[in-house]
PDB file of all heavy atoms in Angstrom:
ATOM      1  N   HIS A  28     105.926  46.228  92.931  1.00 95.00           N
ATOM      2  CA  HIS A  28     104.921  46.587  91.934  1.00 95.00           C
ATOM      3  C   HIS A  28     103.982  45.416  91.737  1.00 95.00           C
ATOM      4  O   HIS A  28     104.416  44.297  91.451  1.00 95.00           O
ATOM      5  CB  HIS A  28     105.601  46.953  90.610  1.00 95.00           C
ATOM      6  CG  HIS A  28     104.630  47.341  89.531  1.00 95.00           C
ATOM      7  ND1 HIS A  28     103.871  48.484  89.605  1.00 95.00           N
ATOM      8  CD2 HIS A  28     104.297  46.728  88.361  1.00 95.00           C
ATOM      9  CE1 HIS A  28     103.110  48.576  88.525  1.00 95.00           C
ATOM     10  NE2 HIS A  28     103.345  47.515  87.753  1.00 95.00           N
ATOM     11  N   ASP A  29     102.704  45.676  91.909  1.00 92.00           N
ATOM     12  CA  ASP A  29     101.668  44.661  91.841  1.00 92.00           C
ATOM     13  C   ASP A  29     100.818  44.898  90.592  1.00 92.00           C
ATOM     14  O   ASP A  29      99.887  45.702  90.608  1.00 92.00           O
ATOM     15  CB  ASP A  29     100.811  44.744  93.106  1.00 92.00           C
ATOM     16  CG  ASP A  29      99.734  43.673  93.144  1.00 92.00           C
ATOM     17  OD1 ASP A  29      99.833  42.720  92.371  1.00 92.00           O
ATOM     18  OD2 ASP A  29      98.806  43.801  93.968  1.00 92.00           O
ATOM     19  N   PRO A  30     101.124  44.233  89.483  1.00 91.00           N
ATOM     20  CA  PRO A  30     100.323  44.436  88.266  1.00 91.00           C
ATOM     21  C   PRO A  30      98.879  43.993  88.489  1.00 91.00           C
ATOM     22  O   PRO A  30      98.609  43.064  89.251  1.00 91.00           O
ATOM     23  CB  PRO A  30     101.018  43.539  87.229  1.00 91.00           C
ATOM     24  CG  PRO A  30     102.392  43.298  87.763  1.00 91.00           C
ATOM     25  CD  PRO A  30     102.231  43.284  89.262  1.00 91.00           C
ATOM     26  N   ALA A  31      97.953  44.676  87.833  1.00 87.00           N
ATOM     27  CA  ALA A  31      96.534  44.340  87.962  1.00 87.00           C
ATOM     28  C   ALA A  31      96.330  42.875  87.611  1.00 87.00           C
ATOM     29  O   ALA A  31      96.780  42.412  86.566  1.00 87.00           O
ATOM     30  CB  ALA A  31      95.702  45.230  87.054  1.00 87.00           C
ATOM     31  N   HIS A  32      95.669  42.137  88.495  1.00 85.00           N
ATOM     32  CA  HIS A  32      95.501  40.715  88.241  1.00 85.00           C
ATOM     33  C   HIS A  32      94.102  40.199  88.556  1.00 85.00           C
ATOM     34  O   HIS A  32      93.895  38.989  88.642  1.00 85.00           O
ATOM     35  CB  HIS A  32      96.540  39.902  89.030  1.00 85.00           C
ATOM     36  CG  HIS A  32      96.515  40.131  90.508  1.00 85.00           C
ATOM     37  ND1 HIS A  32      97.391  40.977  91.141  1.00 85.00           N
ATOM     38  CD2 HIS A  32      95.723  39.620  91.481  1.00 85.00           C
ATOM     39  CE1 HIS A  32      97.154  40.972  92.442  1.00 85.00           C
ATOM     40  NE2 HIS A  32      96.136  40.157  92.669  1.00 85.00           N
ATOM     41  N   SER A  33      93.151  41.092  88.723  1.00 83.00           N
ATOM     42  CA  SER A  33      91.796  40.617  88.969  1.00 83.00           C
ATOM     43  C   SER A  33      91.194  40.094  87.667  1.00 83.00           C
ATOM     44  O   SER A  33      91.599  40.468  86.570  1.00 83.00           O
ATOM     45  CB  SER A  33      90.918  41.731  89.538  1.00 83.00           C
ATOM     46  OG  SER A  33      90.789  42.773  88.601  1.00 83.00           O
ATOM     47  N   VAL A  34      90.230  39.222  87.794  1.00 82.00           N
ATOM     48  CA  VAL A  34      89.545  38.691  86.624  1.00 82.00           C
ATOM     49  C   VAL A  34      88.703  39.800  85.993  1.00 82.00           C
ATOM     50  O   VAL A  34      88.014  40.547  86.691  1.00 82.00           O
ATOM     51  CB  VAL A  34      88.667  37.490  87.014  1.00 82.00           C
ATOM     52  CG1 VAL A  34      87.833  37.020  85.823  1.00 82.00           C
ATOM     53  CG2 VAL A  34      89.539  36.356  87.520  1.00 82.00           C
ATOM     54  N   THR A  35      88.761  39.906  84.679  1.00 86.00           N
ATOM     55  CA  THR A  35      88.011  40.953  83.979  1.00 86.00           C
ATOM     56  C   THR A  35      87.235  40.351  82.807  1.00 86.00           C
ATOM     57  O   THR A  35      87.562  39.271  82.295  1.00 86.00           O
ATOM     58  CB  THR A  35      88.950  42.053  83.446  1.00 86.00           C
ATOM     59  OG1 THR A  35      89.867  41.471  82.505  1.00 86.00           O
ATOM     60  CG2 THR A  35      89.735  42.688  84.575  1.00 86.00           C
ATOM     61  N   TRP A  36      86.205  41.084  82.393  1.00 89.00           N
ATOM     62  CA  TRP A  36      85.400  40.665  81.238  1.00 89.00           C
ATOM     63  C   TRP A  36      86.165  41.004  79.969  1.00 89.00           C
ATOM     64  O   TRP A  36      86.610  42.127  79.761  1.00 89.00           O
ATOM     65  CB  TRP A  36      84.048  41.369  81.251  1.00 89.00           C
ATOM     66  CG  TRP A  36      83.216  41.115  80.028  1.00 89.00           C
ATOM     67  CD1 TRP A  36      82.975  41.980  79.000  1.00 89.00           C
ATOM     68  CD2 TRP A  36      82.502  39.912  79.704  1.00 89.00           C
ATOM     69  NE1 TRP A  36      82.166  41.395  78.067  1.00 89.00           N
ATOM     70  CE2 TRP A  36      81.860  40.123  78.470  1.00 89.00           C
ATOM     71  CE3 TRP A  36      82.351  38.686  80.355  1.00 89.00           C
ATOM     72  CZ2 TRP A  36      81.068  39.150  77.854  1.00 89.00           C
ATOM     73  CZ3 TRP A  36      81.575  37.709  79.738  1.00 89.00           C
ATOM     74  CH2 TRP A  36      80.941  37.935  78.519  1.00 89.00           C
ATOM     75  N   ASN A  37      86.317  40.002  79.091  1.00 89.00           N
ATOM     76  CA  ASN A  37      87.070  40.164  77.854  1.00 89.00           C
ATOM     77  C   ASN A  37      86.206  39.897  76.631  1.00 89.00           C
ATOM     78  O   ASN A  37      86.699  39.870  75.508  1.00 89.00           O
ATOM     79  CB  ASN A  37      88.265  39.195  77.853  1.00 89.00           C
ATOM     80  CG  ASN A  37      89.240  39.454  76.740  1.00 89.00           C
ATOM     81  OD1 ASN A  37      89.654  40.576  76.538  1.00 89.00           O
ATOM     82  ND2 ASN A  37      89.604  38.407  76.005  1.00 89.00           N
ATOM     83  N   GLY A  38      84.900  39.724  76.855  1.00 89.00           N
ATOM     84  CA  GLY A  38      84.003  39.389  75.757  1.00 89.00           C
ATOM     85  C   GLY A  38      83.378  40.619  75.125  1.00 89.00           C
ATOM     86  O   GLY A  38      83.705  41.762  75.466  1.00 89.00           O
ATOM     87  N   PRO A  39      82.475  40.410  74.189  1.00 91.00           N
ATOM     88  CA  PRO A  39      81.788  41.536  73.532  1.00 91.00           C
ATOM     89  C   PRO A  39      80.811  42.216  74.485  1.00 91.00           C
ATOM     90  O   PRO A  39      80.532  41.712  75.573  1.00 91.00           O
ATOM     91  CB  PRO A  39      81.052  40.844  72.375  1.00 91.00           C
ATOM     92  CG  PRO A  39      80.826  39.442  72.862  1.00 91.00           C
ATOM     93  CD  PRO A  39      82.021  39.095  73.695  1.00 91.00           C
ATOM     94  N   ILE A  40      80.285  43.360  74.062  1.00 91.00           N
ATOM     95  CA  ILE A  40      79.307  44.089  74.878  1.00 91.00           C
ATOM     96  C   ILE A  40      78.073  44.395  74.034  1.00 91.00           C
ATOM     97  O   ILE A  40      77.519  45.501  74.067  1.00 91.00           O
ATOM     98  CB  ILE A  40      79.907  45.385  75.464  1.00 91.00           C
ATOM     99  CG1 ILE A  40      80.541  46.245  74.372  1.00 91.00           C
ATOM    100  CG2 ILE A  40      80.922  45.078  76.544  1.00 91.00           C
ATOM    101  CD1 ILE A  40      80.987  47.615  74.855  1.00 91.00           C
ATOM    102  N   THR A  41      77.627  43.397  73.296  1.00 89.00           N
ATOM    103  CA  THR A  41      76.513  43.572  72.364  1.00 89.00           C
ATOM    104  C   THR A  41      75.181  43.105  72.929  1.00 89.00           C
ATOM    105  O   THR A  41      74.151  43.321  72.308  1.00 89.00           O
ATOM    106  CB  THR A  41      76.799  42.790  71.068  1.00 89.00           C
ATOM    107  OG1 THR A  41      77.097  41.421  71.408  1.00 89.00           O
ATOM    108  CG2 THR A  41      77.997  43.404  70.332  1.00 89.00           C
ATOM    109  N   ARG A  42      75.205  42.459  74.100  1.00 89.00           N
ATOM    110  CA  ARG A  42      73.977  41.987  74.728  1.00 89.00           C
ATOM    111  C   ARG A  42      73.914  42.472  76.163  1.00 89.00           C
ATOM    112  O   ARG A  42      74.933  42.817  76.758  1.00 89.00           O
ATOM    113  CB  ARG A  42      73.924  40.454  74.716  1.00 89.00           C
ATOM    114  CG  ARG A  42      73.764  39.852  73.355  1.00 89.00           C
ATOM    115  CD  ARG A  42      73.653  38.335  73.351  1.00 89.00           C
ATOM    116  NE  ARG A  42      73.806  37.661  74.626  1.00 89.00           N
ATOM    117  CZ  ARG A  42      74.055  36.355  74.713  1.00 89.00           C
ATOM    118  NH1 ARG A  42      74.191  35.622  73.622  1.00 89.00           N
ATOM    119  NH2 ARG A  42      74.176  35.785  75.890  1.00 89.00           N
ATOM    120  N   ALA A  43      72.701  42.456  76.699  1.00 90.00           N
ATOM    121  CA  ALA A  43      72.513  42.972  78.054  1.00 90.00           C
ATOM    122  C   ALA A  43      73.337  42.202  79.076  1.00 90.00           C
ATOM    123  O   ALA A  43      73.967  42.796  79.966  1.00 90.00           O
ATOM    124  CB  ALA A  43      71.033  42.931  78.424  1.00 90.00           C
ATOM    125  N   ASP A  44      73.351  40.861  78.970  1.00 89.00           N
ATOM    126  CA  ASP A  44      74.101  40.099  79.969  1.00 89.00           C
ATOM    127  C   ASP A  44      75.605  40.303  79.810  1.00 89.00           C
ATOM    128  O   ASP A  44      76.355  40.249  80.780  1.00 89.00           O
ATOM    129  CB  ASP A  44      73.738  38.615  79.912  1.00 89.00           C
ATOM    130  CG  ASP A  44      73.853  38.006  78.526  1.00 89.00           C
ATOM    131  OD1 ASP A  44      73.987  38.766  77.549  1.00 89.00           O
ATOM    132  OD2 ASP A  44      73.788  36.760  78.420  1.00 89.00           O
ATOM    133  N   TYR A  45      76.077  40.592  78.574  1.00 90.00           N
ATOM    134  CA  TYR A  45      77.493  40.865  78.380  1.00 90.00           C
ATOM    135  C   TYR A  45      77.892  42.204  79.002  1.00 90.00           C
ATOM    136  O   TYR A  45      78.931  42.319  79.658  1.00 90.00           O
ATOM    137  CB  TYR A  45      77.831  40.890  76.887  1.00 90.00           C
ATOM    138  CG  TYR A  45      77.707  39.557  76.178  1.00 90.00           C
ATOM    139  CD1 TYR A  45      77.721  39.487  74.789  1.00 90.00           C
ATOM    140  CD2 TYR A  45      77.578  38.369  76.889  1.00 90.00           C
ATOM    141  CE1 TYR A  45      77.623  38.273  74.126  1.00 90.00           C
ATOM    142  CE2 TYR A  45      77.469  37.154  76.241  1.00 90.00           C
ATOM    143  CZ  TYR A  45      77.488  37.112  74.852  1.00 90.00           C
ATOM    144  OH  TYR A  45      77.387  35.911  74.200  1.00 90.00           O
ATOM    145  N   VAL A  46      77.051  43.225  78.796  1.00 91.00           N
ATOM    146  CA  VAL A  46      77.359  44.530  79.388  1.00 91.00           C
ATOM    147  C   VAL A  46      77.315  44.444  80.908  1.00 91.00           C
ATOM    148  O   VAL A  46      78.102  45.084  81.608  1.00 91.00           O
ATOM    149  CB  VAL A  46      76.387  45.615  78.891  1.00 91.00           C
ATOM    150  CG1 VAL A  46      76.837  46.998  79.391  1.00 91.00           C
ATOM    151  CG2 VAL A  46      76.316  45.622  77.372  1.00 91.00           C
ATOM    152  N   ALA A  47      76.402  43.628  81.411  1.00 87.00           N
ATOM    153  CA  ALA A  47      76.304  43.441  82.857  1.00 87.00           C
ATOM    154  C   ALA A  47      77.616  42.919  83.419  1.00 87.00           C
ATOM    155  O   ALA A  47      78.112  43.387  84.448  1.00 87.00           O
ATOM    156  CB  ALA A  47      75.170  42.471  83.174  1.00 87.00           C
ATOM    157  N   GLU A  48      78.202  41.924  82.751  1.00 88.00           N
ATOM    158  CA  GLU A  48      79.481  41.390  83.208  1.00 88.00           C
ATOM    159  C   GLU A  48      80.575  42.450  83.106  1.00 88.00           C
ATOM    160  O   GLU A  48      81.424  42.566  84.001  1.00 88.00           O
ATOM    161  CB  GLU A  48      79.862  40.157  82.370  1.00 88.00           C
ATOM    162  CG  GLU A  48      78.872  39.016  82.403  1.00 88.00           C
ATOM    163  CD  GLU A  48      78.919  38.236  83.706  1.00 88.00           C
ATOM    164  OE1 GLU A  48      79.513  38.718  84.692  1.00 88.00           O
ATOM    165  OE2 GLU A  48      78.351  37.128  83.745  1.00 88.00           O
ATOM    166  N   ALA A  49      80.565  43.232  82.038  1.00 89.00           N
ATOM    167  CA  ALA A  49      81.578  44.279  81.876  1.00 89.00           C
ATOM    168  C   ALA A  49      81.467  45.343  82.952  1.00 89.00           C
ATOM    169  O   ALA A  49      82.469  45.945  83.356  1.00 89.00           O
ATOM    170  CB  ALA A  49      81.445  44.922  80.490  1.00 89.00           C
ATOM    171  N   LEU A  50      80.248  45.594  83.449  1.00 88.00           N
ATOM    172  CA  LEU A  50      80.057  46.572  84.514  1.00 88.00           C
ATOM    173  C   LEU A  50      80.744  46.143  85.803  1.00 88.00           C
ATOM    174  O   LEU A  50      81.364  46.957  86.492  1.00 88.00           O
ATOM    175  CB  LEU A  50      78.562  46.761  84.796  1.00 88.00           C
ATOM    176  CG  LEU A  50      77.828  47.866  84.059  1.00 88.00           C
ATOM    177  CD1 LEU A  50      76.338  47.756  84.313  1.00 88.00           C
ATOM    178  CD2 LEU A  50      78.345  49.223  84.494  1.00 88.00           C
ATOM    179  N   LEU A  51      80.626  44.875  86.144  1.00 83.00           N
ATOM    180  CA  LEU A  51      81.143  44.414  87.422  1.00 83.00           C
ATOM    181  C   LEU A  51      82.560  43.855  87.328  1.00 83.00           C
ATOM    182  O   LEU A  51      83.212  43.665  88.351  1.00 83.00           O
ATOM    183  CB  LEU A  51      80.200  43.379  88.021  1.00 83.00           C
ATOM    184  CG  LEU A  51      78.863  43.957  88.487  1.00 83.00           C
ATOM    185  CD1 LEU A  51      77.961  42.863  88.999  1.00 83.00           C
ATOM    186  CD2 LEU A  51      79.076  45.004  89.560  1.00 83.00           C
ATOM    187  N   TYR A  52      83.042  43.616  86.128  1.00 84.00           N
ATOM    188  CA  TYR A  52      84.405  43.110  85.959  1.00 84.00           C
ATOM    189  C   TYR A  52      85.194  43.938  84.965  1.00 84.00           C
ATOM    190  O   TYR A  52      85.656  43.439  83.953  1.00 84.00           O
ATOM    191  CB  TYR A  52      84.368  41.633  85.560  1.00 84.00           C
ATOM    192  CG  TYR A  52      83.812  40.806  86.665  1.00 84.00           C
ATOM    193  CD1 TYR A  52      82.478  40.453  86.694  1.00 84.00           C
ATOM    194  CD2 TYR A  52      84.604  40.440  87.732  1.00 84.00           C
ATOM    195  CE1 TYR A  52      81.955  39.740  87.749  1.00 84.00           C
ATOM    196  CE2 TYR A  52      84.092  39.727  88.797  1.00 84.00           C
ATOM    197  CZ  TYR A  52      82.767  39.385  88.796  1.00 84.00           C
ATOM    198  OH  TYR A  52      82.252  38.680  89.845  1.00 84.00           O
ATOM    199  N   PRO A  53      85.347  45.231  85.262  1.00 85.00           N
ATOM    200  CA  PRO A  53      86.134  46.092  84.368  1.00 85.00           C
ATOM    201  C   PRO A  53      87.626  45.862  84.583  1.00 85.00           C
ATOM    202  O   PRO A  53      88.046  45.187  85.520  1.00 85.00           O
ATOM    203  CB  PRO A  53      85.726  47.498  84.814  1.00 85.00           C
ATOM    204  CG  PRO A  53      85.471  47.332  86.273  1.00 85.00           C
ATOM    205  CD  PRO A  53      84.846  45.958  86.423  1.00 85.00           C
ATOM    206  N   LYS A  54      88.423  46.437  83.698  1.00 84.00           N
ATOM    207  CA  LYS A  54      89.865  46.372  83.880  1.00 84.00           C
ATOM    208  C   LYS A  54      90.243  47.167  85.123  1.00 84.00           C
ATOM    209  O   LYS A  54      89.676  48.214  85.411  1.00 84.00           O
ATOM    210  CB  LYS A  54      90.584  46.949  82.658  1.00 84.00           C
ATOM    211  CG  LYS A  54      90.421  46.105  81.410  1.00 84.00           C
ATOM    212  CD  LYS A  54      91.191  46.691  80.239  1.00 84.00           C
ATOM    213  CE  LYS A  54      91.039  45.819  78.998  1.00 84.00           C
ATOM    214  NZ  LYS A  54      91.769  46.383  77.834  1.00 84.00           N
ATOM    215  N   THR A  55      91.203  46.662  85.862  1.00 83.00           N
ATOM    216  CA  THR A  55      91.653  47.331  87.081  1.00 83.00           C
ATOM    217  C   THR A  55      93.054  47.892  86.892  1.00 83.00           C
ATOM    218  O   THR A  55      93.716  47.634  85.887  1.00 83.00           O
ATOM    219  CB  THR A  55      91.641  46.343  88.260  1.00 83.00           C
ATOM    220  OG1 THR A  55      92.420  45.184  87.917  1.00 83.00           O
ATOM    221  CG2 THR A  55      90.214  45.894  88.562  1.00 83.00           C
ATOM    222  N   ALA A  56      93.502  48.661  87.864  1.00 86.00           N
ATOM    223  CA  ALA A  56      94.789  49.344  87.748  1.00 86.00           C
ATOM    224  C   ALA A  56      95.865  48.630  88.565  1.00 86.00           C
ATOM    225  O   ALA A  56      95.578  47.931  89.534  1.00 86.00           O
ATOM    226  CB  ALA A  56      94.648  50.794  88.221  1.00 86.00           C
ATOM    227  N   ASP A  57      97.116  48.847  88.151  1.00 90.00           N
ATOM    228  CA  ASP A  57      98.253  48.350  88.923  1.00 90.00           C
ATOM    229  C   ASP A  57      98.290  49.049  90.280  1.00 90.00           C
ATOM    230  O   ASP A  57      97.749  50.151  90.451  1.00 90.00           O
ATOM    231  CB  ASP A  57      99.567  48.620  88.193  1.00 90.00           C
ATOM    232  CG  ASP A  57      99.653  47.915  86.853  1.00 90.00           C
ATOM    233  OD1 ASP A  57      98.738  47.146  86.528  1.00 90.00           O
ATOM    234  OD2 ASP A  57     100.637  48.144  86.133  1.00 90.00           O
ATOM    235  N   GLN A  58      98.963  48.408  91.247  1.00 91.00           N
ATOM    236  CA  GLN A  58      99.178  49.028  92.543  1.00 91.00           C
ATOM    237  C   GLN A  58     100.668  49.046  92.869  1.00 91.00           C
ATOM    238  O   GLN A  58     101.405  48.129  92.500  1.00 91.00           O
ATOM    239  CB  GLN A  58      98.443  48.263  93.647  1.00 91.00           C
ATOM    240  CG  GLN A  58      96.932  48.365  93.569  1.00 91.00           C
ATOM    241  CD  GLN A  58      96.277  47.806  94.818  1.00 91.00           C
ATOM    242  OE1 GLN A  58      96.478  48.299  95.929  1.00 91.00           O
ATOM    243  NE2 GLN A  58      95.483  46.767  94.654  1.00 91.00           N
ATOM    244  N   ASN A  59     101.081  50.085  93.553  1.00 96.00           N
ATOM    245  CA  ASN A  59     102.457  50.192  94.039  1.00 96.00           C
ATOM    246  C   ASN A  59     102.445  50.103  95.557  1.00 96.00           C
ATOM    247  O   ASN A  59     101.713  50.832  96.228  1.00 96.00           O
ATOM    248  CB  ASN A  59     103.086  51.512  93.595  1.00 96.00           C
ATOM    249  CG  ASN A  59     103.265  51.588  92.094  1.00 96.00           C
ATOM    250  OD1 ASN A  59     103.821  50.677  91.494  1.00 96.00           O
ATOM    251  ND2 ASN A  59     102.786  52.659  91.476  1.00 96.00           N
ATOM    252  N   HIS A  60     103.240  49.191  96.090  1.00 96.00           N
ATOM    253  CA  HIS A  60     103.313  48.963  97.528  1.00 96.00           C
ATOM    254  C   HIS A  60     104.613  49.556  98.090  1.00 96.00           C
ATOM    255  O   HIS A  60     105.675  49.412  97.482  1.00 96.00           O
ATOM    256  CB  HIS A  60     103.304  47.464  97.839  1.00 96.00           C
ATOM    257  CG  HIS A  60     101.999  46.792  97.551  1.00 96.00           C
ATOM    258  ND1 HIS A  60     101.212  46.258  98.545  1.00 96.00           N
ATOM    259  CD2 HIS A  60     101.342  46.564  96.387  1.00 96.00           C
ATOM    260  CE1 HIS A  60     100.125  45.720  98.000  1.00 96.00           C
ATOM    261  NE2 HIS A  60     100.194  45.889  96.694  1.00 96.00           N
ATOM    262  N   TYR A  61     104.492  50.168  99.255  1.00 98.00           N
ATOM    263  CA  TYR A  61     105.654  50.711  99.951  1.00 98.00           C
ATOM    264  C   TYR A  61     105.667  50.132 101.367  1.00 98.00           C
ATOM    265  O   TYR A  61     104.618  50.043 102.014  1.00 98.00           O
ATOM    266  CB  TYR A  61     105.589  52.237 100.005  1.00 98.00           C
ATOM    267  CG  TYR A  61     105.503  52.871  98.638  1.00 98.00           C
ATOM    268  CD1 TYR A  61     104.262  53.126  98.048  1.00 98.00           C
ATOM    269  CD2 TYR A  61     106.663  53.186  97.915  1.00 98.00           C
ATOM    270  CE1 TYR A  61     104.168  53.689  96.786  1.00 98.00           C
ATOM    271  CE2 TYR A  61     106.572  53.756  96.647  1.00 98.00           C
ATOM    272  CZ  TYR A  61     105.328  53.996  96.094  1.00 98.00           C
ATOM    273  OH  TYR A  61     105.248  54.544  94.834  1.00 98.00           O
ATOM    274  N   SER A  62     106.840  49.726 101.825  1.00 97.00           N
ATOM    275  CA  SER A  62     106.916  49.100 103.141  1.00 97.00           C
ATOM    276  C   SER A  62     108.058  49.678 103.964  1.00 97.00           C
ATOM    277  O   SER A  62     109.061  50.159 103.426  1.00 97.00           O
ATOM    278  CB  SER A  62     107.105  47.585 102.996  1.00 97.00           C
ATOM    279  OG  SER A  62     108.341  47.289 102.372  1.00 97.00           O
ATOM    280  N   ILE A  63     107.877  49.626 105.273  1.00 98.00           N
ATOM    281  CA  ILE A  63     108.915  50.020 106.215  1.00 98.00           C
ATOM    282  C   ILE A  63     108.925  48.982 107.338  1.00 98.00           C
ATOM    283  O   ILE A  63     107.932  48.279 107.557  1.00 98.00           O
ATOM    284  CB  ILE A  63     108.691  51.430 106.798  1.00 98.00           C
ATOM    285  CG1 ILE A  63     107.309  51.517 107.481  1.00 98.00           C
ATOM    286  CG2 ILE A  63     108.835  52.498 105.733  1.00 98.00           C
ATOM    287  CD1 ILE A  63     107.091  52.811 108.232  1.00 98.00           C
ATOM    288  N   GLY A  64     110.032  48.900 108.030  1.00 97.00           N
ATOM    289  CA  GLY A  64     110.103  47.954 109.125  1.00 97.00           C
ATOM    290  C   GLY A  64     111.358  48.124 109.938  1.00 97.00           C
ATOM    291  O   GLY A  64     112.204  48.985 109.650  1.00 97.00           O
ATOM    292  N   GLY A  65     111.479  47.317 110.964  1.00 97.00           N
ATOM    293  CA  GLY A  65     112.652  47.369 111.825  1.00 97.00           C
ATOM    294  C   GLY A  65     112.706  46.134 112.698  1.00 97.00           C
ATOM    295  O   GLY A  65     111.821  45.267 112.647  1.00 97.00           O
ATOM    296  N   GLY A  66     113.749  46.051 113.492  1.00 96.00           N
ATOM    297  CA  GLY A  66     113.873  44.902 114.376  1.00 96.00           C
ATOM    298  C   GLY A  66     115.044  45.010 115.317  1.00 96.00           C
ATOM    299  O   GLY A  66     115.956  45.828 115.107  1.00 96.00           O
ATOM    300  N   PHE A  67     115.014  44.211 116.386  1.00 96.00           N
ATOM    301  CA  PHE A  67     116.093  44.154 117.369  1.00 96.00           C
ATOM    302  C   PHE A  67     116.596  42.707 117.437  1.00 96.00           C
ATOM    303  O   PHE A  67     115.811  41.759 117.387  1.00 96.00           O
ATOM    304  CB  PHE A  67     115.600  44.596 118.749  1.00 96.00           C
ATOM    305  CG  PHE A  67     115.152  46.029 118.789  1.00 96.00           C
ATOM    306  CD1 PHE A  67     113.839  46.370 118.485  1.00 96.00           C
ATOM    307  CD2 PHE A  67     116.050  47.041 119.115  1.00 96.00           C
ATOM    308  CE1 PHE A  67     113.417  47.692 118.522  1.00 96.00           C
ATOM    309  CE2 PHE A  67     115.637  48.363 119.151  1.00 96.00           C
ATOM    310  CZ  PHE A  67     114.327  48.691 118.846  1.00 96.00           C
ATOM    311  N   ALA A  68     117.901  42.552 117.547  1.00 92.00           N
ATOM    312  CA  ALA A  68     118.495  41.212 117.531  1.00 92.00           C
ATOM    313  C   ALA A  68     119.414  41.017 118.732  1.00 92.00           C
ATOM    314  O   ALA A  68     120.272  41.855 119.019  1.00 92.00           O
ATOM    315  CB  ALA A  68     119.275  40.999 116.241  1.00 92.00           C
TER     316      ALA A  68
END
């Protein structure tokens, strides 16, 4: 389980430059990874 860890905007959204940052740095979602594999010894 890979919890969301990207950088996000945590400031207010009362100014144009603040909303701009919130647009490009929104909260992201967790990811679930599944793996398979094999080998010969």
